Tab-separated table of all heavy atoms in Angstrom:
chain	number	residue	atom	x	y	z
A	219	LEU	N	-10.892	5.223	-3.958
A	219	LEU	CA	-11.886	5.172	-2.885
A	219	LEU	C	-12.147	6.592	-2.401
A	219	LEU	O	-11.212	7.372	-2.233
A	219	LEU	CB	-11.372	4.331	-1.716
A	219	LEU	CG	-11.077	2.866	-2.020
A	219	LEU	CD1	-10.393	2.204	-0.838
A	219	LEU	CD2	-12.365	2.140	-2.381
A	220	GLY	N	-13.402	6.905	-2.148
A	220	GLY	CA	-13.752	8.219	-1.635
A	220	GLY	C	-13.496	8.323	-0.144
A	220	GLY	O	-13.601	7.338	0.588
A	221	THR	N	-13.152	9.516	0.289
A	221	THR	CA	-12.967	9.795	1.717
A	221	THR	C	-13.473	11.195	2.029
A	221	THR	O	-13.449	12.074	1.170
A	221	THR	CB	-11.494	9.655	2.148
A	221	THR	OG1	-11.397	9.864	3.566
A	221	THR	CG2	-10.587	10.629	1.431
A	222	ASN	N	-13.910	11.368	3.263
A	222	ASN	CA	-14.312	12.692	3.741
A	222	ASN	C	-13.233	13.326	4.604
A	222	ASN	O	-13.363	14.467	5.009
A	222	ASN	CB	-15.637	12.592	4.504
A	222	ASN	CG	-16.761	12.191	3.574
A	222	ASN	OD1	-17.012	12.843	2.572
A	222	ASN	ND2	-17.409	11.084	3.885
A	223	ASP	N	-12.160	12.568	4.895
A	223	ASP	CA	-11.060	13.058	5.731
A	223	ASP	C	-9.751	12.571	5.118
A	223	ASP	O	-9.240	11.512	5.462
A	223	ASP	CB	-11.222	12.555	7.163
A	223	ASP	CG	-10.190	13.106	8.120
A	223	ASP	OD1	-9.119	13.580	7.669
A	223	ASP	OD2	-10.443	13.046	9.339
A	224	ILE	N	-9.218	13.323	4.191
A	224	ILE	CA	-8.043	12.909	3.424
A	224	ILE	C	-6.829	12.644	4.314
A	224	ILE	O	-6.089	11.690	4.098
A	224	ILE	CB	-7.731	13.915	2.282
A	224	ILE	CG1	-6.781	13.298	1.251
A	224	ILE	CG2	-7.178	15.212	2.807
A	224	ILE	CD1	-7.451	12.629	0.128
A	225	GLU	N	-6.630	13.463	5.351
A	225	GLU	CA	-5.458	13.297	6.216
A	225	GLU	C	-5.522	11.991	7.002
A	225	GLU	O	-4.544	11.249	7.078
A	225	GLU	CB	-5.302	14.486	7.171
A	225	GLU	CG	-4.941	15.792	6.485
A	225	GLU	CD	-6.149	16.540	5.909
A	225	GLU	OE1	-7.308	16.238	6.296
A	225	GLU	OE2	-5.939	17.415	5.058
A	226	THR	N	-6.676	11.708	7.607
A	226	THR	CA	-6.829	10.480	8.387
A	226	THR	C	-6.744	9.250	7.484
A	226	THR	O	-6.081	8.268	7.813
A	226	THR	CB	-8.158	10.500	9.165
A	226	THR	OG1	-8.147	11.623	10.046
A	226	THR	CG2	-8.358	9.235	9.971
A	227	ALA	N	-7.405	9.308	6.330
A	227	ALA	CA	-7.357	8.187	5.387
A	227	ALA	C	-5.933	7.966	4.887
A	227	ALA	O	-5.483	6.827	4.743
A	227	ALA	CB	-8.305	8.447	4.217
A	228	ALA	N	-5.197	9.042	4.627
A	228	ALA	CA	-3.814	8.919	4.148
A	228	ALA	C	-2.937	8.225	5.184
A	228	ALA	O	-2.130	7.356	4.830
A	228	ALA	CB	-3.253	10.290	3.805
A	229	LYS	N	-3.086	8.566	6.449
A	229	LYS	CA	-2.308	7.904	7.507
A	229	LYS	C	-2.640	6.418	7.567
A	229	LYS	O	-1.754	5.580	7.720
A	229	LYS	CB	-2.577	8.560	8.862
A	229	LYS	CG	-1.963	9.929	8.992
A	229	LYS	CD	-2.313	10.562	10.330
A	229	LYS	CE	-1.839	11.999	10.389
A	229	LYS	NZ	-2.297	12.687	11.601
A	230	PHE	N	-3.936	6.084	7.466
A	230	PHE	CA	-4.372	4.686	7.466
A	230	PHE	C	-3.704	3.929	6.331
A	230	PHE	O	-3.086	2.881	6.536
A	230	PHE	CB	-5.902	4.626	7.335
A	230	PHE	CG	-6.463	3.229	7.255
A	230	PHE	CD1	-6.767	2.530	8.413
A	230	PHE	CD2	-6.703	2.627	6.031
A	230	PHE	CE1	-7.299	1.243	8.348
A	230	PHE	CE2	-7.233	1.348	5.951
A	230	PHE	CZ	-7.532	0.651	7.118
A	231	TYR	N	-3.797	4.445	5.101
A	231	TYR	CA	-3.245	3.743	3.948
A	231	TYR	C	-1.716	3.783	3.890
A	231	TYR	O	-1.100	2.834	3.395
A	231	TYR	CB	-3.889	4.224	2.647
A	231	TYR	CG	-5.249	3.611	2.480
A	231	TYR	CD1	-6.405	4.351	2.680
A	231	TYR	CD2	-5.391	2.261	2.181
A	231	TYR	CE1	-7.661	3.774	2.564
A	231	TYR	CE2	-6.628	1.672	2.069
A	231	TYR	CZ	-7.762	2.422	2.261
A	231	TYR	OH	-9.000	1.841	2.148
A	232	ASP	N	-1.087	4.835	4.396
A	232	ASP	CA	0.385	4.831	4.490
A	232	ASP	C	0.849	3.635	5.306
A	232	ASP	O	1.731	2.882	4.890
A	232	ASP	CB	0.901	6.111	5.165
A	232	ASP	CG	0.955	7.316	4.254
A	232	ASP	OD1	0.944	7.153	3.007
A	232	ASP	OD2	1.013	8.441	4.800
A	233	ALA	N	0.256	3.451	6.478
A	233	ALA	CA	0.660	2.363	7.376
A	233	ALA	C	0.237	1.005	6.836
A	233	ALA	O	1.016	0.042	6.865
A	233	ALA	CB	0.072	2.588	8.766
A	234	LEU	N	-0.979	0.900	6.325
A	234	LEU	CA	-1.480	-0.386	5.840
A	234	LEU	C	-0.723	-0.847	4.600
A	234	LEU	O	-0.228	-1.980	4.544
A	234	LEU	CB	-2.976	-0.282	5.526
A	234	LEU	CG	-3.610	-1.586	5.044
A	234	LEU	CD1	-3.635	-2.607	6.171
A	234	LEU	CD2	-4.998	-1.334	4.508
A	235	LEU	N	-0.607	0.002	3.607
A	235	LEU	CA	0.003	-0.410	2.344
A	235	LEU	C	1.512	-0.556	2.431
A	235	LEU	O	2.119	-1.263	1.612
A	235	LEU	CB	-0.412	0.552	1.229
A	235	LEU	CG	-1.927	0.577	0.965
A	235	LEU	CD1	-2.271	1.617	-0.092
A	235	LEU	CD2	-2.448	-0.804	0.577
A	236	ALA	N	2.135	0.039	3.440
A	236	ALA	CA	3.569	-0.194	3.672
A	236	ALA	C	3.835	-1.668	3.949
A	236	ALA	O	4.915	-2.188	3.629
A	236	ALA	CB	4.067	0.661	4.835
A	237	GLU	N	2.846	-2.358	4.504
A	237	GLU	CA	2.989	-3.793	4.804
A	237	GLU	C	3.185	-4.630	3.545
A	237	GLU	O	3.705	-5.739	3.616
A	237	GLU	CB	1.781	-4.307	5.593
A	237	GLU	CG	1.576	-3.647	6.935
A	237	GLU	CD	2.646	-4.002	7.959
A	237	GLU	OE1	3.339	-5.016	7.796
A	237	GLU	OE2	2.792	-3.248	8.934
A	238	ILE	N	2.771	-4.113	2.398
A	238	ILE	CA	2.955	-4.855	1.142
A	238	ILE	C	3.917	-4.138	0.198
A	238	ILE	O	3.950	-4.399	-0.994
A	238	ILE	CB	1.612	-5.171	0.449
A	238	ILE	CG1	0.810	-3.907	0.145
A	238	ILE	CG2	0.784	-6.139	1.287
A	238	ILE	CD1	-0.457	-4.142	-0.663
A	239	GLY	N	4.687	-3.211	0.746
A	239	GLY	CA	5.724	-2.553	-0.037
A	239	GLY	C	5.240	-1.416	-0.913
A	239	GLY	O	5.974	-0.950	-1.784
A	240	ALA	N	4.014	-0.954	-0.713
A	240	ALA	CA	3.492	0.154	-1.518
A	240	ALA	C	3.832	1.481	-0.855
A	240	ALA	O	3.943	1.568	0.364
A	240	ALA	CB	1.982	0.024	-1.684
A	241	ARG	N	3.991	2.495	-1.692
A	241	ARG	CA	4.259	3.834	-1.178
A	241	ARG	C	3.532	4.833	-2.066
A	241	ARG	O	3.087	4.505	-3.171
A	241	ARG	CB	5.750	4.123	-1.151
A	241	ARG	CG	6.416	4.071	-2.511
A	241	ARG	CD	7.903	4.359	-2.421
A	241	ARG	NE	8.512	4.326	-3.721
A	241	ARG	CZ	8.433	5.290	-4.632
A	241	ARG	NH1	7.767	6.382	-4.394
A	241	ARG	NH2	9.024	5.166	-5.806
A	242	ARG	N	3.432	6.049	-1.568
A	242	ARG	CA	2.774	7.105	-2.350
A	242	ARG	C	3.576	7.367	-3.625
A	242	ARG	O	4.795	7.500	-3.575
A	242	ARG	CB	2.703	8.405	-1.553
A	242	ARG	CG	1.786	8.350	-0.356
A	242	ARG	CD	1.725	9.701	0.311
A	242	ARG	NE	1.052	9.623	1.598
A	242	ARG	CZ	0.627	10.672	2.282
A	242	ARG	NH1	0.815	11.897	1.794
A	242	ARG	NH2	0.035	10.512	3.440
A	243	PHE	N	2.866	7.451	-4.747
A	243	PHE	CA	3.554	7.816	-5.983
A	243	PHE	C	2.908	9.004	-6.681
A	243	PHE	O	3.452	9.527	-7.649
A	243	PHE	CB	3.683	6.628	-6.946
A	243	PHE	CG	2.394	6.178	-7.586
A	243	PHE	CD1	1.942	6.755	-8.765
A	243	PHE	CD2	1.654	5.159	-7.017
A	243	PHE	CE1	0.757	6.335	-9.356
A	243	PHE	CE2	0.476	4.723	-7.607
A	243	PHE	CZ	0.033	5.321	-8.763
A	244	MET	N	1.765	9.451	-6.166
A	244	MET	CA	1.105	10.629	-6.717
A	244	MET	C	0.340	11.287	-5.569
A	244	MET	O	-0.327	10.604	-4.796
A	244	MET	CB	0.126	10.225	-7.818
A	244	MET	CG	-0.447	11.384	-8.582
A	244	MET	SD	-1.642	10.864	-9.864
A	244	MET	CE	-0.698	9.669	-10.794
A	245	GLU	N	0.452	12.617	-5.469
A	245	GLU	CA	-0.215	13.290	-4.362
A	245	GLU	C	-0.576	14.724	-4.746
A	245	GLU	O	0.261	15.468	-5.234
A	245	GLU	CB	0.695	13.288	-3.138
A	245	GLU	CG	0.075	13.849	-1.903
A	245	GLU	CD	0.913	13.615	-0.661
A	245	GLU	OE1	1.984	12.980	-0.746
A	245	GLU	OE2	0.484	14.093	0.402
A	246	PHE	N	-1.844	15.046	-4.519
A	246	PHE	CA	-2.376	16.390	-4.688
A	246	PHE	C	-3.188	16.716	-3.442
A	246	PHE	O	-3.361	15.859	-2.583
A	246	PHE	CB	-3.249	16.481	-5.950
A	246	PHE	CG	-2.528	16.067	-7.200
A	246	PHE	CD1	-2.697	14.795	-7.729
A	246	PHE	CD2	-1.665	16.946	-7.829
A	246	PHE	CE1	-2.021	14.411	-8.875
A	246	PHE	CE2	-0.981	16.566	-8.985
A	246	PHE	CZ	-1.164	15.297	-9.502
A	247	ASP	N	-3.726	17.924	-3.332
A	247	ASP	CA	-4.492	18.311	-2.146
A	247	ASP	C	-5.634	17.346	-1.834
A	247	ASP	O	-5.884	17.042	-0.679
A	247	ASP	CB	-5.075	19.715	-2.300
A	247	ASP	CG	-4.008	20.794	-2.213
A	247	ASP	OD1	-2.903	20.509	-1.715
A	247	ASP	OD2	-4.292	21.919	-2.654
A	248	GLN	N	-6.338	16.892	-2.841
A	248	GLN	CA	-7.542	16.080	-2.640
A	248	GLN	C	-7.403	14.655	-3.168
A	248	GLN	O	-8.417	13.946	-3.266
A	248	GLN	CB	-8.730	16.754	-3.331
A	248	GLN	CG	-8.994	18.164	-2.875
A	248	GLN	CD	-9.402	18.242	-1.412
A	248	GLN	OE1	-10.246	17.489	-0.954
A	248	GLN	NE2	-8.782	19.143	-0.665
A	249	PHE	N	-6.193	14.206	-3.488
A	249	PHE	CA	-5.996	12.892	-4.128
A	249	PHE	C	-4.621	12.365	-3.786
A	249	PHE	O	-3.621	13.083	-3.912
A	249	PHE	CB	-6.119	13.063	-5.655
A	249	PHE	CG	-5.931	11.801	-6.438
A	249	PHE	CD1	-6.999	10.973	-6.717
A	249	PHE	CD2	-4.671	11.437	-6.911
A	249	PHE	CE1	-6.829	9.814	-7.469
A	249	PHE	CE2	-4.493	10.288	-7.654
A	249	PHE	CZ	-5.577	9.469	-7.932
A	250	ILE	N	-4.545	11.105	-3.340
A	250	ILE	CA	-3.266	10.449	-3.056
A	250	ILE	C	-3.343	9.033	-3.616
A	250	ILE	O	-4.343	8.336	-3.429
A	250	ILE	CB	-2.970	10.389	-1.545
A	250	ILE	CG1	-2.967	11.789	-0.941
A	250	ILE	CG2	-1.630	9.683	-1.282
A	250	ILE	CD1	-2.929	11.804	0.585
A	251	ALA	N	-2.274	8.587	-4.289
A	251	ALA	CA	-2.226	7.240	-4.854
A	251	ALA	C	-0.987	6.500	-4.364
A	251	ALA	O	0.078	7.102	-4.219
A	251	ALA	CB	-2.224	7.305	-6.382
A	252	TRP	N	-1.145	5.201	-4.128
A	252	TRP	CA	-0.066	4.316	-3.691
A	252	TRP	C	0.109	3.192	-4.697
A	252	TRP	O	-0.818	2.811	-5.386
A	252	TRP	CB	-0.419	3.656	-2.348
A	252	TRP	CG	-0.455	4.563	-1.180
A	252	TRP	CD1	0.534	4.761	-0.251
A	252	TRP	CD2	-1.532	5.396	-0.756
A	252	TRP	NE1	0.120	5.663	0.705
A	252	TRP	CE2	-1.141	6.068	0.416
A	252	TRP	CE3	-2.811	5.656	-1.270
A	252	TRP	CZ2	-1.967	6.958	1.091
A	252	TRP	CZ3	-3.633	6.546	-0.603
A	252	TRP	CH2	-3.208	7.188	0.557
A	253	GLY	N	1.300	2.649	-4.728
A	253	GLY	CA	1.562	1.482	-5.552
A	253	GLY	C	2.899	0.876	-5.202
A	253	GLY	O	3.723	1.498	-4.529
A	254	VAL	N	3.107	-0.354	-5.656
A	254	VAL	CA	4.407	-1.004	-5.467
A	254	VAL	C	5.314	-0.706	-6.650
A	254	VAL	O	6.530	-0.795	-6.542
A	254	VAL	CB	4.284	-2.523	-5.223
A	254	VAL	CG1	3.578	-2.804	-3.915
A	254	VAL	CG2	3.571	-3.222	-6.362
Side-chain angles (χ1 to χ4, degrees):
L219 298 172
T221 183
N222 294 304
D223 185 340
I224 196 92
E225 292 83 17
T226 300
K229 288 177 187 173
F230 177 87
Y231 282 106
D232 280 341
L234 182 68
L235 298 176
E237 299 291 340
I238 58 174
R241 61 180 181 77
R242 292 183 191 194
F243 71 87
M244 189 181 306
E245 185 170 358
F246 304 99
D247 288 342
Q248 303 296 313
F249 180 89
I250 302 170
W252 291 262
V254 294

